[in-house]
Amino acid sequence: MQGTGHGRGQDTHDTVLLAAGVADLAVSTVSGALDGLRGLLRRADVAELADEGRQDIKARGRLALDRCTSTSPPHMELLARHATAVRGRGDV
């Protein structure tokens, strides 16, 4: 997996988000994930889908961590960070 160039702290943060997202995904939809994986392996656009899946799992991890922590970041700050990330990827 290639880093995004945000530095070691960001990589650690991403790792925690990914781990929490994977744990949440495993608890809620293990059998569905396996069926989806079988379908994914038959597709030609596996790399693009894997990247989208990684982003989804990070989002799940962020939500799972927010549920478990006593305080969460301000809502508008999260929206601003998301908008900046989307613009950086060119999805706008």
Side-chain angles (χ1 to χ4, degrees), residues 3-43:
T4 58
H6 294 294
R8 188 176 188 109
Q10 182 65 35
D11 289 342
T12 301
H13 183 70
D14 284 353
T15 301
V16 170
L17 291 177
L18 286 168
V22 168
D24 189 55
L25 179 63
V27 168
S28 64
T29 58
V30 171
S31 64
L34 291 175
D35 290 341
L37 181 60
R38 283 187 207 110
L40 176 69
L41 292 174
R42 285 178 252 155
R43 296 187 59 144

Side-chain angles (χ1 to χ4, degrees), residues 8 10 13 32 36 42 55 62 66 83 88-89 91-92:
R8 188 176 188 109
Q10 182 65 35
H13 183 70
R42 285 178 252 155
Q55 294 300 322
R62 190 173 290 112
D66 285 348
R89 290 194 321 247
D91 291 347
V92 176

